[in-house]
Amino acid sequence: MSESNKAANTVAAAAVARYRNNFLKEVEERVEDGDMVKMCMQCGVCAGSCPLGPHWEHSPQKIFMMIRAGKRDEVLSSDSMWMCTSCYNCIVRCPRQLPITHIMHGLAHYANRLGMVPKGQPTRDIAKLFWDNLLKTGRVNELKFSLAMYFKDGFVQGIKNALAMQGIGLSLMKAKRLSPMEIIGGHKCKDQSGIQKMIAKAREIEDRRRGALA
Amino acid sequence: MVAYVCAGCGLGDTLDLKQTEKVAQKEGKMQAVKRHDFLCSAEGVQMIQGDIDNDGVTHVMIAACSRRAKTEAFNFPGVAMSRANLREGVLWVVAEGGDHDEVRQEMADDYVRMSCAELKRMKVPAGNPDADTSKRILVVGGGVTGLTAAIEAAETGYDVVLVEKTAALGGWAAKLWKRVPFRQPYADPQPTGVAELIARVVGNSRITVHLNSTIAETAGAPGRFKIKVAQESGAITEETVGAIVQASGFNTYDMAKLPELGGGKPNVVDQAGLETLAVSANGGAIKRADGREVKSVVFVQCAGQRDEEGASGGVHLPYCSGHCCATSIKQAMYFKDANPEVDTVVMFTDLRVPGMAEDFYRSAQQKGVTFTKGKASKVESTDAGCQVHFRDLILDEDASIGADLVVLATGQVPNSGVNIELVEEAEGEKKGAPEAEAAVKPISILNLTYRQGKDLPQLKHGLNDSHFICFPYETRRTGIYAAGPVRRPMDMLQATDDATGATLKAVQAVENAAVGRAAHPRSGDLSYPIVRLEGCTQCKRCTVECPFGAIDEDEKRFPVFNQARCRRCGTCMGACPVRVISFENYSVDTVGMQIKAVDMPDEFSERPRILILACENDAYPALDMAGLSRTEYSAFVRVIPVRCLGSVNTIWVTDALNSGYDGVMMMGCKKGDDYQCHFVKGSELAHYRMSKTDDTLKQLGLEKERVMSFEVAITDSQKVAALINDYAAKIKEIGMSPLKGF
């Protein structure tokens, strides 16, 4: 987390009072499509439509109510938005046309930026590994990505994972879908530093727009 | 007296009309019998009209289709008419084929006999001789409802007397800062427009306004109401009017009854209280009574409302007042529009925004009003303001929230005057029960001189109406129409609609009263109850049972019929034990003779006869509809339509059983709390009276199943056929009546 984000987090957290509009306003300003949260009419159709509904800590209906109730920590550390599979059932059915799926991703992204995601959240972990992998060369290195996944819980577990996946790995190699040579360097895009500059700029713009640097 | 027999619609092909004609002539004693192949054609109608014009025919018997069909063709004002229902009642409901020829012909002949018998006892109704012609309309109440009623009536061309209790017109609406929007885009509160409405009323030369006035007395009947308007000073002005619109409005539910929600504490107001604050803020920041600017406000919905009977409920208003959700949304916008930084929370259990207010709700969400689904349990005073404790119904946990100001949405209590039923109870108990007397305490609005009580009867929860859906505005006092929140809780827009509707009803009442006709639901009926007072035993059953309070008593305790108040249901006729009440074209005799006219087969014929007395409003149309859809039912029934089951005199049932009928079916409308009776109490009274016939049956040595009552709705065309067939099967089971041939 950047220093500025940390500061913003502290300021916002201090200002949040229960059942006030503070956190709702924060969400409106900083979360993608967050300005639609206030239009929820609490009918619960999203909660009933979600195929993963019973496996979440909070349904979208509850998440929206918690935002209005000012439950900042509970919302941002919830696993709910990480469980969304983007099936879009809720968007299709919402009578108020809330882009619920997008809001879920927006909340996940915001929670990640603030570093409030619970430790070991698997969706967040895989996304992070994927993102870091991609950012290095501008291309996804499948071999390194797989290895990073295997070893994310330590060396011994990594060996176990690798052995368990041995058959699949060999088949992929046979089918020329996976090259062992990728371990050294691997394929990359032409202008690596250009990509990284681009991403940095995009982040800067986003931070500015979301008010994180304000 | 001429009978006309139609051979159209297949009647001529299936029935032996020669035989039918012979019955009309020989047994029905018609002076002439004419047949036409297509009686409802212009040519057929011309034949009848010609006879009326040229040969002085005064009584017409038409043997064709149901009395409910072809009413425009067979419309001969000035003559008495009866109709034998051979099409819907016989041809279409008796099974086809030669096997059934005999029973079908018997049925048709019986209906002709019955119609002839009825016709002989009928007179041409002359109209109410006691008609008076005041067409002025009295409007009681000068709020939005009353003002709208007055202006609508005046602009339709009727003079209006408007009586307002306070010193100013406008009612509650005049105290509002703004109103819920009623035009596109339904996004922001709108000006109330009350000042303009008042100006239109004051400037209208047809409208006389009495301020600071109440109604000291209302006497008379539609077309001739005599009103005493009492000024605050004590001066009395007399006015004569034709009809009355009661728009006495509502009061807010007393906050003091809600101490747990902070009623009476500082910084807790009801919605009316907030309007006062908003008016003094005049569009600026809203300040509390102590002068502090409000930065956070919580609206508690359903405060003291929807409190249904239950473990802890039943103390406050049981109903939803309908307008409060939209009103709170509007008031939250007062804050948001002045300063978007103000925290506004609307705490609801079910947000109900009828009409186009759903758009208004969305607009409030756009403006940042927070809607919290929760139930407030307690409001406490704090140093800064209030603390609202509540159950969050989405997150399912107890929570609390602080606010500078709390607004309670307390709902409407109708200003309906005296509950006349409680008065009766209290008098019955010889002024015993103190609770009953306390409940009677409200001041009468109309001060009617009616024997049945000073004010309009209440439907439920103190609301003045007779049926919220089927007969809005039509109270159980003819010529007096309730409109606005006194009839049903509502907002300004609905009150405006209500006023217009009630005014139209009042116009209908004065116009009909002026020519001596019934207003509704038997609109245009010229008959009226005629009583032979020399036979009256002063039993008071007619005065008590009349659902519409049409019958008063004179000093000698004889009934005094106010024809203009009468709705012609005949409940009095059904009630009268000595049968001295009748109508010119509907009497104990017209039905009694039909019952006796039926040709009764003997005990061993295996052809039972079942009499059906069917309410002409619902049951008879249902029977017609059964015919229309060719639903077969037993050919042993003989149906007689009655104005209302309430008009059924027990003598008819006794007569029917004595003359050998094997069973009597009474078909009326749904009764009880969700009644559908067009005359409110008719079917209920009939069922009550019939519950007393068991003893009579026992005396006659008959099974109690020989007389049964049924509830039939107009849509029950299939059910009614099943009821008949089941009953016919039951009669077969218990056997033929032993009383035949005496």
Side-chain angles (χ1 to χ4, degrees), chain B residues 506-547:
Chain B
V507 166
Q508 185 190 10
V510 293
E511 289 298 337
N512 276 302
V515 289
R517 292 192 304 212
H520 49 73
R522 295 183 58 82
S523 222
D525 187 356
L526 281 164
S527 72
Y528 58 90
I530 296 168
V531 56
R532 238 177 356 96
L533 279 184
E534 53 283 17
C536 172
T537 59
Q538 301 173 318
C539 73
K540 294 207 285 189
R541 275 180 57 189
C542 55
T543 53
V544 171
E545 292 193 1
C546 174

mmCIF file of all heavy atoms in Angstrom, chain B residues 506-547:
data_model
loop_
_atom_site.group_PDB
_atom_site.id
_atom_site.type_symbol
_atom_site.label_atom_id
_atom_site.label_comp_id
_atom_site.label_asym_id
_atom_site.label_seq_id
_atom_site.Cartn_x
_atom_site.Cartn_y
_atom_site.Cartn_z
ATOM 1 N N ALA B 506 -73.062 13.175 -5.654
ATOM 2 C CA ALA B 506 -74.022 14.128 -5.096
ATOM 3 C C ALA B 506 -74.907 14.683 -6.217
ATOM 4 O O ALA B 506 -76.126 14.837 -6.052
ATOM 5 C CB ALA B 506 -73.290 15.258 -4.379
ATOM 6 N N VAL B 507 -74.302 14.941 -7.371
ATOM 7 C CA VAL B 507 -75.071 15.441 -8.515
ATOM 8 C C VAL B 507 -76.102 14.386 -8.936
ATOM 9 O O VAL B 507 -77.275 14.679 -9.176
ATOM 10 C CB VAL B 507 -74.113 15.793 -9.681
ATOM 11 C CG1 VAL B 507 -74.889 15.985 -10.972
ATOM 12 C CG2 VAL B 507 -73.294 17.029 -9.341
ATOM 13 N N GLN B 508 -75.647 13.127 -8.988
ATOM 14 C CA GLN B 508 -76.555 12.033 -9.331
ATOM 15 C C GLN B 508 -77.721 11.992 -8.350
ATOM 16 O O GLN B 508 -78.883 11.821 -8.740
ATOM 17 C CB GLN B 508 -75.779 10.708 -9.282
ATOM 18 C CG GLN B 508 -76.576 9.503 -9.746
ATOM 19 C CD GLN B 508 -75.864 8.175 -9.450
ATOM 20 O OE1 GLN B 508 -74.859 8.135 -8.733
ATOM 21 N NE2 GLN B 508 -76.383 7.108 -9.993
ATOM 22 N N ALA B 509 -77.419 12.192 -7.078
ATOM 23 C CA ALA B 509 -78.460 12.129 -6.046
ATOM 24 C C ALA B 509 -79.473 13.254 -6.213
ATOM 25 O O ALA B 509 -80.687 13.013 -6.166
ATOM 26 C CB ALA B 509 -77.834 12.183 -4.660
ATOM 27 N N VAL B 510 -79.002 14.490 -6.427
ATOM 28 C CA VAL B 510 -79.975 15.599 -6.502
ATOM 29 C C VAL B 510 -80.813 15.487 -7.775
ATOM 30 O O VAL B 510 -82.018 15.762 -7.764
ATOM 31 C CB VAL B 510 -79.315 16.999 -6.419
ATOM 32 C CG1 VAL B 510 -78.704 17.225 -5.055
ATOM 33 C CG2 VAL B 510 -78.302 17.248 -7.515
ATOM 34 N N GLU B 511 -80.191 15.057 -8.868
ATOM 35 C CA GLU B 511 -80.946 14.953 -10.119
ATOM 36 C C GLU B 511 -82.017 13.873 -10.033
ATOM 37 O O GLU B 511 -83.136 14.047 -10.498
ATOM 38 C CB GLU B 511 -80.000 14.680 -11.298
ATOM 39 C CG GLU B 511 -79.119 15.867 -11.673
ATOM 40 C CD GLU B 511 -79.921 17.090 -12.127
ATOM 41 O OE1 GLU B 511 -81.074 16.933 -12.577
ATOM 42 O OE2 GLU B 511 -79.390 18.224 -12.009
ATOM 43 N N ASN B 512 -81.671 12.737 -9.450
ATOM 44 C CA ASN B 512 -82.656 11.669 -9.315
ATOM 45 C C ASN B 512 -83.734 12.038 -8.308
ATOM 46 O O ASN B 512 -84.915 11.755 -8.526
ATOM 47 C CB ASN B 512 -81.969 10.356 -8.913
ATOM 48 C CG ASN B 512 -81.428 9.624 -10.124
ATOM 49 O OD1 ASN B 512 -82.172 9.292 -11.041
ATOM 50 N ND2 ASN B 512 -80.139 9.393 -10.138
ATOM 51 N N ALA B 513 -83.317 12.665 -7.209
ATOM 52 C CA ALA B 513 -84.288 13.033 -6.177
ATOM 53 C C ALA B 513 -85.314 14.016 -6.750
ATOM 54 O O ALA B 513 -86.501 13.956 -6.428
ATOM 55 C CB ALA B 513 -83.581 13.649 -4.972
ATOM 56 N N ALA B 514 -84.858 14.884 -7.642
ATOM 57 C CA ALA B 514 -85.750 15.905 -8.192
ATOM 58 C C ALA B 514 -86.888 15.293 -9.000
ATOM 59 O O ALA B 514 -87.952 15.878 -9.119
ATOM 60 C CB ALA B 514 -84.942 16.873 -9.054
ATOM 61 N N VAL B 515 -86.659 14.120 -9.577
ATOM 62 C CA VAL B 515 -87.737 13.487 -10.339
ATOM 63 C C VAL B 515 -88.289 12.256 -9.638
ATOM 64 O O VAL B 515 -88.981 11.436 -10.231
ATOM 65 C CB VAL B 515 -87.268 13.128 -11.776
ATOM 66 C CG1 VAL B 515 -87.105 14.378 -12.599
ATOM 67 C CG2 VAL B 515 -85.983 12.325 -11.746
ATOM 68 N N GLY B 516 -87.954 12.125 -8.356
ATOM 69 C CA GLY B 516 -88.551 11.057 -7.562
ATOM 70 C C GLY B 516 -88.024 9.672 -7.880
ATOM 71 O O GLY B 516 -88.726 8.679 -7.731
ATOM 72 N N ARG B 517 -86.790 9.609 -8.348
ATOM 73 C CA ARG B 517 -86.222 8.305 -8.677
ATOM 74 C C ARG B 517 -85.171 7.905 -7.645
ATOM 75 O O ARG B 517 -84.611 8.744 -6.945
ATOM 76 C CB ARG B 517 -85.533 8.364 -10.043
ATOM 77 C CG ARG B 517 -86.487 8.548 -11.193
ATOM 78 C CD ARG B 517 -85.777 8.314 -12.502
ATOM 79 N NE ARG B 517 -84.618 9.155 -12.676
ATOM 80 C CZ ARG B 517 -84.206 9.598 -13.865
ATOM 81 N NH1 ARG B 517 -84.871 9.282 -14.954
ATOM 82 N NH2 ARG B 517 -83.129 10.341 -13.952
ATOM 83 N N ALA B 518 -84.837 6.611 -7.632
ATOM 84 C CA ALA B 518 -83.754 6.135 -6.781
ATOM 85 C C ALA B 518 -82.427 6.594 -7.371
ATOM 86 O O ALA B 518 -82.276 6.685 -8.586
ATOM 87 C CB ALA B 518 -83.782 4.615 -6.691
ATOM 88 N N ALA B 519 -81.470 6.878 -6.486
ATOM 89 C CA ALA B 519 -80.170 7.343 -6.971
ATOM 90 C C ALA B 519 -79.269 6.172 -7.372
ATOM 91 O O ALA B 519 -78.808 6.088 -8.495
ATOM 92 C CB ALA B 519 -79.493 8.189 -5.905
ATOM 93 N N HIS B 520 -79.035 5.267 -6.461
ATOM 94 C CA HIS B 520 -78.137 4.154 -6.727
ATOM 95 C C HIS B 520 -78.323 3.137 -5.641
ATOM 96 O O HIS B 520 -78.728 3.481 -4.553
ATOM 97 C CB HIS B 520 -76.683 4.630 -6.736
ATOM 98 C CG HIS B 520 -76.340 5.474 -5.541
ATOM 99 N ND1 HIS B 520 -76.190 4.956 -4.272
ATOM 100 C CD2 HIS B 520 -76.209 6.815 -5.415
ATOM 101 C CE1 HIS B 520 -75.945 5.944 -3.424
ATOM 102 N NE2 HIS B 520 -75.959 7.082 -4.074
ATOM 103 N N PRO B 521 -78.067 1.880 -5.851
ATOM 104 C CA PRO B 521 -77.613 1.303 -7.111
ATOM 105 C C PRO B 521 -78.755 1.053 -8.108
ATOM 106 O O PRO B 521 -78.480 0.789 -9.264
ATOM 107 C CB PRO B 521 -76.976 -0.024 -6.692
ATOM 108 C CG PRO B 521 -77.649 -0.399 -5.419
ATOM 109 C CD PRO B 521 -78.060 0.888 -4.775
ATOM 110 N N ARG B 522 -80.021 1.141 -7.678
ATOM 111 C CA ARG B 522 -81.127 0.946 -8.623
ATOM 112 C C ARG B 522 -81.427 2.292 -9.279
ATOM 113 O O ARG B 522 -82.524 2.835 -9.170
ATOM 114 C CB ARG B 522 -82.357 0.405 -7.896
ATOM 115 C CG ARG B 522 -82.163 -0.975 -7.313
ATOM 116 C CD ARG B 522 -83.432 -1.480 -6.665
ATOM 117 N NE ARG B 522 -84.549 -1.528 -7.590
ATOM 118 C CZ ARG B 522 -84.774 -2.507 -8.442
ATOM 119 N NH1 ARG B 522 -83.969 -3.535 -8.485
ATOM 120 N NH2 ARG B 522 -85.811 -2.464 -9.257
ATOM 121 N N SER B 523 -80.446 2.803 -9.972
ATOM 122 C CA SER B 523 -80.526 4.129 -10.562
ATOM 123 C C SER B 523 -81.733 4.248 -11.486
ATOM 124 O O SER B 523 -81.920 3.431 -12.376
ATOM 125 C CB SER B 523 -79.254 4.356 -11.371
ATOM 126 O OG SER B 523 -78.793 5.629 -11.157
ATOM 127 N N GLY B 524 -82.545 5.270 -11.232
ATOM 128 C CA GLY B 524 -83.670 5.509 -12.124
ATOM 129 C C GLY B 524 -84.938 4.765 -11.748
ATOM 130 O O GLY B 524 -85.970 4.920 -12.404
ATOM 131 N N ASP B 525 -84.886 3.947 -10.698
ATOM 132 C CA ASP B 525 -86.073 3.199 -10.282
ATOM 133 C C ASP B 525 -87.129 4.175 -9.751
ATOM 134 O O ASP B 525 -86.862 4.985 -8.870
ATOM 135 C CB ASP B 525 -85.670 2.198 -9.186
ATOM 136 C CG ASP B 525 -86.821 1.265 -8.826
ATOM 137 O OD1 ASP B 525 -87.925 1.453 -9.379
ATOM 138 O OD2 ASP B 525 -86.603 0.362 -7.999
ATOM 139 N N LEU B 526 -88.345 4.077 -10.317
ATOM 140 C CA LEU B 526 -89.414 4.997 -9.906
ATOM 141 C C LEU B 526 -90.265 4.427 -8.780
ATOM 142 O O LEU B 526 -91.098 5.128 -8.210
ATOM 143 C CB LEU B 526 -90.300 5.325 -11.108
ATOM 144 C CG LEU B 526 -89.732 6.380 -12.069
ATOM 145 C CD1 LEU B 526 -90.479 6.353 -13.389
ATOM 146 C CD2 LEU B 526 -89.787 7.764 -11.455
ATOM 147 N N SER B 527 -90.094 3.145 -8.493
ATOM 148 C CA SER B 527 -90.931 2.578 -7.439
ATOM 149 C C SER B 527 -90.397 3.009 -6.080
ATOM 150 O O SER B 527 -89.260 3.444 -5.966
ATOM 151 C CB SER B 527 -90.924 1.052 -7.531
ATOM 152 O OG SER B 527 -89.679 0.534 -7.110
ATOM 153 N N TYR B 528 -91.240 2.934 -5.082
ATOM 154 C CA TYR B 528 -90.813 3.281 -3.725
ATOM 155 C C TYR B 528 -91.692 2.511 -2.754
ATOM 156 O O TYR B 528 -92.769 2.045 -3.123
ATOM 157 C CB TYR B 528 -90.919 4.794 -3.491
ATOM 158 C CG TYR B 528 -92.300 5.341 -3.696
ATOM 159 C CD1 TYR B 528 -93.202 5.406 -2.630
ATOM 160 C CD2 TYR B 528 -92.719 5.760 -4.948
ATOM 161 C CE1 TYR B 528 -94.481 5.870 -2.826
ATOM 162 C CE2 TYR B 528 -93.997 6.231 -5.147
ATOM 163 C CZ TYR B 528 -94.879 6.290 -4.083
ATOM 164 O OH TYR B 528 -96.152 6.737 -4.294
ATOM 165 N N PRO B 529 -91.248 2.334 -1.538
ATOM 166 C CA PRO B 529 -92.050 1.523 -0.624
ATOM 167 C C PRO B 529 -93.349 2.220 -0.215
ATOM 168 O O PRO B 529 -93.353 3.406 0.108
ATOM 169 C CB PRO B 529 -91.125 1.327 0.582
ATOM 170 C CG PRO B 529 -90.076 2.356 0.462
ATOM 171 C CD PRO B 529 -89.987 2.783 -0.948
ATOM 172 N N ILE B 530 -94.424 1.468 -0.281
ATOM 173 C CA ILE B 530 -95.728 1.994 0.129
ATOM 174 C C ILE B 530 -96.162 1.172 1.343
ATOM 175 O O ILE B 530 -96.053 -0.053 1.323
ATOM 176 C CB ILE B 530 -96.751 1.836 -1.014
ATOM 177 C CG1 ILE B 530 -96.305 2.692 -2.209
ATOM 178 C CG2 ILE B 530 -98.156 2.210 -0.543
ATOM 179 C CD1 ILE B 530 -97.059 2.392 -3.469
ATOM 180 N N VAL B 531 -96.586 1.862 2.371
ATOM 181 C CA VAL B 531 -96.926 1.137 3.594
ATOM 182 C C VAL B 531 -98.399 1.361 3.938
ATOM 183 O O VAL B 531 -98.931 2.452 3.808
ATOM 184 C CB VAL B 531 -95.985 1.551 4.749
ATOM 185 C CG1 VAL B 531 -96.017 3.043 4.971
ATOM 186 C CG2 VAL B 531 -96.321 0.817 6.032
ATOM 187 N N ARG B 532 -99.041 0.268 4.301
ATOM 188 C CA ARG B 532 -100.440 0.338 4.736
ATOM 189 C C ARG B 532 -100.409 0.485 6.249
ATOM 190 O O ARG B 532 -100.341 -0.486 6.990
ATOM 191 C CB ARG B 532 -101.134 -0.965 4.346
ATOM 192 C CG ARG B 532 -102.341 -0.758 3.454
ATOM 193 C CD ARG B 532 -103.007 -2.054 2.983
ATOM 194 N NE ARG B 532 -102.398 -3.298 3.354
ATOM 195 C CZ ARG B 532 -102.753 -4.028 4.410
ATOM 196 N NH1 ARG B 532 -103.705 -3.635 5.228
ATOM 197 N NH2 ARG B 532 -102.141 -5.172 4.664
ATOM 198 N N LEU B 533 -100.438 1.735 6.712
ATOM 199 C CA LEU B 533 -100.201 1.985 8.138
ATOM 200 C C LEU B 533 -101.287 1.388 9.024
ATOM 201 O O LEU B 533 -101.051 1.043 10.174
ATOM 202 C CB LEU B 533 -100.076 3.487 8.399
ATOM 203 C CG LEU B 533 -98.716 4.103 8.095
ATOM 204 C CD1 LEU B 533 -98.682 5.559 8.481
ATOM 205 C CD2 LEU B 533 -97.596 3.353 8.811
ATOM 206 N N GLU B 534 -102.529 1.232 8.453
ATOM 207 C CA GLU B 534 -103.606 0.704 9.303
ATOM 208 C C GLU B 534 -103.295 -0.729 9.754
ATOM 209 O O GLU B 534 -103.788 -1.177 10.772
ATOM 210 C CB GLU B 534 -104.967 0.829 8.634
ATOM 211 C CG GLU B 534 -105.168 0.288 7.248
ATOM 212 C CD GLU B 534 -104.623 1.086 6.073
ATOM 213 O OE1 GLU B 534 -103.766 1.984 6.262
ATOM 214 O OE2 GLU B 534 -105.027 0.768 4.952
ATOM 215 N N GLY B 535 -102.404 -1.418 9.002
ATOM 216 C CA GLY B 535 -102.061 -2.783 9.413
ATOM 217 C C GLY B 535 -100.802 -2.862 10.257
ATOM 218 O O GLY B 535 -100.441 -3.928 10.746
ATOM 219 N N CYS B 536 -100.103 -1.746 10.407
ATOM 220 C CA CYS B 536 -98.799 -1.750 11.078
ATOM 221 C C CYS B 536 -98.951 -2.017 12.571
ATOM 222 O O CYS B 536 -99.834 -1.485 13.226
ATOM 223 C CB CYS B 536 -98.115 -0.413 10.860
ATOM 224 S SG CYS B 536 -96.605 -0.214 11.820
ATOM 225 N N THR B 537 -98.060 -2.877 13.099
ATOM 226 C CA THR B 537 -98.124 -3.180 14.532
ATOM 227 C C THR B 537 -97.049 -2.457 15.320
ATOM 228 O O THR B 537 -96.796 -2.775 16.477
ATOM 229 C CB THR B 537 -97.955 -4.697 14.761
ATOM 230 O OG1 THR B 537 -96.687 -5.065 14.216
ATOM 231 C CG2 THR B 537 -99.060 -5.477 14.098
ATOM 232 N N GLN B 538 -96.348 -1.530 14.665
ATOM 233 C CA GLN B 538 -95.292 -0.735 15.309
ATOM 234 C C GLN B 538 -94.191 -1.604 15.892
ATOM 235 O O GLN B 538 -93.663 -1.320 16.948
ATOM 236 C CB GLN B 538 -95.884 0.148 16.411
ATOM 237 C CG GLN B 538 -96.931 1.087 15.892
ATOM 238 C CD GLN B 538 -97.606 1.817 17.024
ATOM 239 O OE1 GLN B 538 -97.906 1.222 18.043
ATOM 240 N NE2 GLN B 538 -97.842 3.100 16.831
ATOM 241 N N CYS B 539 -93.847 -2.666 15.175
ATOM 242 C CA CYS B 539 -92.828 -3.560 15.713
ATOM 243 C C CYS B 539 -91.424 -2.991 15.526
ATOM 244 O O CYS B 539 -90.473 -3.471 16.122
ATOM 245 C CB CYS B 539 -92.910 -4.939 15.064
ATOM 246 S SG CYS B 539 -92.315 -4.979 13.370
ATOM 247 N N LYS B 540 -91.281 -1.987 14.674
ATOM 248 C CA LYS B 540 -90.014 -1.272 14.461
ATOM 249 C C LYS B 540 -88.962 -2.058 13.682
ATOM 250 O O LYS B 540 -87.828 -1.615 13.570
ATOM 251 C CB LYS B 540 -89.401 -0.830 15.804
ATOM 252 C CG LYS B 540 -90.226 0.185 16.518
ATOM 253 C CD LYS B 540 -89.369 1.048 17.406
ATOM 254 C CE LYS B 540 -88.958 0.294 18.647
ATOM 255 N NZ LYS B 540 -88.312 1.155 19.624
ATOM 256 N N ARG B 541 -89.343 -3.265 13.179
ATOM 257 C CA ARG B 541 -88.304 -4.027 12.487
ATOM 258 C C ARG B 541 -87.845 -3.317 11.220
ATOM 259 O O ARG B 541 -86.667 -3.348 10.871
ATOM 260 C CB ARG B 541 -88.785 -5.442 12.173
ATOM 261 C CG ARG B 541 -88.567 -6.362 13.360
ATOM 262 C CD ARG B 541 -89.020 -7.756 13.096
ATOM 263 N NE ARG B 541 -88.370 -8.355 11.928
ATOM 264 C CZ ARG B 541 -88.733 -9.511 11.404
ATOM 265 N NH1 ARG B 541 -89.730 -10.178 11.926
ATOM 266 N NH2 ARG B 541 -88.099 -9.995 10.363
ATOM 267 N N CYS B 542 -88.761 -2.656 10.519
ATOM 268 C CA CYS B 542 -88.351 -1.969 9.290
ATOM 269 C C CYS B 542 -87.399 -0.822 9.604
ATOM 270 O O CYS B 542 -86.386 -0.638 8.940
ATOM 271 C CB CYS B 542 -89.559 -1.492 8.498
ATOM 272 S SG CYS B 542 -90.687 -0.445 9.428
ATOM 273 N N THR B 543 -87.695 -0.075 10.655
ATOM 274 C CA THR B 543 -86.843 1.080 10.985
ATOM 275 C C THR B 543 -85.480 0.634 11.457
ATOM 276 O O THR B 543 -84.485 1.287 11.201
ATOM 277 C CB THR B 543 -87.493 1.954 12.078
ATOM 278 O OG1 THR B 543 -87.818 1.127 13.176
ATOM 279 C CG2 THR B 543 -88.716 2.659 11.591
ATOM 280 N N VAL B 544 -85.441 -0.518 12.135
ATOM 281 C CA VAL B 544 -84.154 -0.998 12.630
ATOM 282 C C VAL B 544 -83.347 -1.631 11.512
ATOM 283 O O VAL B 544 -82.148 -1.437 11.405
ATOM 284 C CB VAL B 544 -84.377 -2.007 13.785
ATOM 285 C CG1 VAL B 544 -83.086 -2.689 14.159
ATOM 286 C CG2 VAL B 544 -84.983 -1.298 14.979
ATOM 287 N N GLU B 545 -84.020 -2.392 10.648
ATOM 288 C CA GLU B 545 -83.275 -3.180 9.673
ATOM 289 C C GLU B 545 -82.918 -2.410 8.403
ATOM 290 O O GLU B 545 -82.024 -2.827 7.679
ATOM 291 C CB GLU B 545 -84.050 -4.463 9.333
ATOM 292 C CG GLU B 545 -84.090 -5.403 10.531
ATOM 293 C CD GLU B 545 -84.558 -6.804 10.185
ATOM 294 O OE1 GLU B 545 -84.838 -7.070 8.995
ATOM 295 O OE2 GLU B 545 -84.644 -7.627 11.103
ATOM 296 N N CYS B 546 -83.598 -1.311 8.118
ATOM 297 C CA CYS B 546 -83.248 -0.562 6.912
ATOM 298 C C CYS B 546 -81.759 -0.215 6.953
ATOM 299 O O CYS B 546 -81.304 0.482 7.847
ATOM 300 C CB CYS B 546 -84.069 0.721 6.799
ATOM 301 S SG CYS B 546 -83.512 1.745 5.405
ATOM 302 N N PRO B 547 -80.967 -0.705 5.972
ATOM 303 C CA PRO B 547 -79.526 -0.466 6.036
ATOM 304 C C PRO B 547 -79.171 1.009 5.816
ATOM 305 O O PRO B 547 -78.041 1.405 6.055
ATOM 306 C CB PRO B 547 -78.969 -1.316 4.889
ATOM 307 C CG PRO B 547 -80.076 -2.201 4.440
ATOM 308 C CD PRO B 547 -81.343 -1.517 4.811
#
